[in-house]
Amino acid sequence: MLLSRHDLHALTGAYALDALDTEAERERFSRHLRRCQSCAGEVRGLREVATALAFAAAAEPPAGLREQVIAAADRTRQLPPEVVRRRRMGIWWPAIPWRLWLPRLATVTAVVAVVAAVVLGITLSGTEQRLNTERAESQGVAAVLAAPDVRTVSGPVGTGGIATVVLSASKGELVVSTNGLAALPAGKVYQLWLIGPPAVRSAGLLPAAVAGRTEPVLASGLVVGDKLGLTVEPAGGTRQPTTTPILLLSLPAGT
Amino acid sequence: MCRMDQTDPGKPELASVPPPEDGGPDLNQLLRLVARGDKGAFEQVYDQLARPAYGVIRRVLRDPAQSEEVAQDVLLEVWRTASRFDPAMGSAATWVLTIAHRRAIDRVRAEAAAVGREQKAAWVGPAPLDEVADAVEASLDRERIQRCLGGLTQVQRESITLAYYGGYTYRQVAALVGVTLAAIKTRIRDGMIRMRDCLGVS
């Protein structure tokens, strides 16, 4: 479902209330927020309204919750802060063992080439706003590629083609690109999933393939034990998979 | 224990976020301390936000046992991910309560997918606001929110409470209220903006 910019902007209220309709719509709107400063500002204000609604509903938690939470915190390691690394190639490359260079180089080159092609294509044909989105997304992709613990895995898709994942366990982010997937009938879309012990979460929709390849999709929220799944879903995506995965790829847990 | 941390009842200026108590560190500072592993700070964050967090989860989920479970997850998540809180994106209370509401919503939607909750619950309106517990800060906030909600059109009010407390998507709200999708988006947004101005949220 394609929404016009105006329609998107009208969703600030529903977004602030967590009332968007599908995960795909939520993701699309989040992306929109990254390039629409006025929307982001509006959402910030409307989220405070939601907070007020939460305070208005305040209720005494059951006795014992406090002790349980504090005790659980005692047993729980905290996440490190996200450090934005803007490393230059010269610093990054030598840190990689020689034996890992070739496969990594091949994938990274492929992903970078696609990103570059996309950005170039947009520069030539698109509006500045679209360029900004792509730039934000390719920065996200670049950040995964530059992570010190970047890993690459790929696997064959049941119905043909191959999926390649570049991931950083420390950032909890991954970039998925595919090559040679079967074309889908109208009204269907490939949807990625993170399938883990806590839950199955959407990791986004694959864009339409260009010359057999799909543009890299950036997803976050990766946790240890997650596998990457791929299913065919109705256009717009679904909140939970409705078909059998045609790819189930184990992801390395970290360095 | 919790009551000690509530807002000064004489203070009328209660906006969406509780002000820092008697010169102590505010929630933003507390979260920064929590990120460094400060247990005392975490206990203070708990005391300030456990009630609204549990309250909103309870409002959405209804089931007390389930609500307790989700609340525990959420509060532990606050401990675990405190380093990811970014004050530039909104207040600390909003960060925590957004996680709380979203977790409750995720639970509702996962269940809806499984059992067709919409069919069972099509009649459900928001629980009346006075169902809420009687803490001082809640009653102050409640009055103000009630007043602001009272300033909305009926459709705006219904749409916002169904979406937030009912945990419905705007598409489901449109079906419940009987207006088009385009209209519901606008009404929710206009209503929220009016609430924002009424509450004096910056």
Side-chain angles (χ1 to χ4, degrees):
Chain A
M1 177 178 55
L2 275 179
L3 292 169
S4 73
R5 194 165 307 288
H6 175 75
D7 281 342
L8 264 181
H9 196 86
L11 284 174
T12 49
Y15 180 82
L17 294 173
D18 297 318
L20 293 196
D21 208 55
T22 59
E23 195 53 38
E25 194 174 44
R26 199 200 271 185
E27 279 165 21
R28 189 171 140 74
F29 190 81
S30 304
R31 277 204 299 276
H32 175 66
L33 281 184
R34 268 183 253 151
R35 75 188 128 126
C36 174
Q37 288 213 334
S38 66
C39 310
E42 187 170 300
V43 164
R44 268 198 292 280
L46 300 187
R47 278 237 182 266
E48 301 292 332
V49 174
T51 299
L53 292 171
F55 270 95
E60 200 65 61
L65 181 67
R66 193 174 190 278
E67 283 66 30
Q68 286 166 37
V69 169
I70 307 287
D74 255 339
R75 301 186 299 264
T76 305
R77 189 183 155 76
Q78 294 176 289
L79 286 188
E82 269 180 318
V83 183
V84 181
R85 287 169 211 267
R86 302 206 182 279
R87 294 189 175 196
R88 297 190 174 279
M89 287 301 196
I91 300 168
W92 177 53
W93 287 105
I96 299 173
W98 279 99
R99 65 192 162 78
L100 292 178
W101 265 49
L102 262 182
R104 191 179 305 230
L105 194 58
T107 314
V108 168
T109 310
V111 175
V112 169
V114 175
V115 172
V118 169
V119 173
L120 187 62
I122 301 283
T123 312
L124 295 175
S125 67
T127 64
E128 196 183 337
Q129 279 215 316
R130 280 178 60 199
L131 175 60
N132 286 342
T133 327
E134 297 301 337
R135 193 179 283 150
E137 282 169 12
S138 54
Q139 275 173 1
V141 171
V144 175
L145 298 183
D149 64 336
V150 65
R151 304 281 292 266
T152 303
V153 282
S154 58
V157 174
T159 50
I162 185 165
T164 301
V165 183
V166 182
L167 67 108
S168 160
S170 67
K171 291 176 70 66
E173 292 184 340
L174 66 164
V175 177
V176 183
S177 53
T178 69
N179 197 349
L181 296 195
L184 292 175
K188 296 286 179 188
V189 68
Y190 285 112
Q191 187 164 6
L192 296 163
W193 304 95
L194 287 175
I195 300 171
V200 178
R201 295 95 67 204
S202 173
L205 305 176
L206 286 185
V210 177
R213 291 169 179 277
T214 55
E215 284 171 31
V217 172
L218 175 67
S220 55
L222 177 70
V223 297
V224 174
D226 275 340
K227 292 182 176 192
L228 181 78
L230 181 70
T231 60
V232 177
E233 302 294 348
T238 54
R239 281 193 287 271
Q240 290 288 310
T242 62
T243 61
T244 311
I246 49 179
L247 169 80
L248 203 55
L249 194 60
S250 295
L251 302 175
T255 46
Chain B
M1 171 52 113
C2 293
R3 298 294 157 82
M4 297 290 291
D5 291 318
Q6 302 311 338
T7 315
D8 173 5
K11 194 173 180 184
E13 289 300 306
L14 191 68
S16 57
V17 180
E21 334 125 36
D22 51 38
D26 70 12
L27 274 168
N28 284 13
Q29 293 166 321
L30 284 173
L31 272 185
R32 212 160 290 151
L33 293 172
V34 171
R36 294 184 220 147
D38 186 327
K39 297 278 258 315
F42 182 57
E43 292 182 23
Q44 288 185 63
V45 170
Y46 180 98
D47 292 338
Q48 290 192 44
L49 294 179
R51 299 180 72 263
Y54 175 75
V56 73
I57 292 166
R58 178 79 203 275
R59 185 65 72 91
V60 172
L61 293 179
R62 307 282 175 118
D63 179 66
Q66 218 179 29
S67 304
E68 181 176 1
E69 187 190 318
V70 172
Q72 185 176 346
D73 282 357
V74 165
L75 292 159
L76 190 60
E77 186 73 5
V78 169
W79 162 259
R80 207 173 70 82
T81 62
S83 66
R84 306 295 164 94
F85 164 64
D86 178 359
M89 303 298 290
S91 69
T94 293
W95 184 67
V96 171
L97 296 172
T98 298
I99 297 176
H101 187 255
R102 196 168 277 170
R103 282 293 172 86
I105 292 288
D106 285 347
R107 184 66 75 101
V108 165
R109 305 227 164 122
E111 278 172 15
V115 299
R117 177 181 182 272
E118 297 97 300
Q119 288 176 359
K120 285 199 306 188
W123 60 273
V124 172
L129 282 172
D130 52 33
E131 192 185 83
V132 166
D134 56 356
V136 175
E137 128 275 12
S139 68
L140 275 177
D141 233 359
R142 231 159 68 212
E143 259 170 46
R144 186 158 180 162
I145 304 248
Q146 291 273 30
R147 206 174 57 242
C148 291
L149 280 171
L152 304 180
T153 69
Q154 201 199 330
V155 179
Q156 286 173 344
R157 185 166 52 246
E158 260 185 343
S159 307
I160 288 173
T161 49
L162 281 171
Y164 192 73
Y165 294 134
Y168 294 102
T169 70
Y170 72 89
R171 195 178 287 269
Q172 293 164 338
V173 173
L176 289 171
V177 181
V179 303
T180 65
L181 282 181
I184 204 72
K185 289 182 211 170
T186 314
R187 277 168 205 180
I188 289 178
R189 175 167 177 250
D190 291 351
M192 290 286 283
I193 288 173
R194 211 190 274 192
M195 287 287 287
R196 179 192 67 194
D197 297 343
C198 175
L199 289 165
V201 173
S202 55

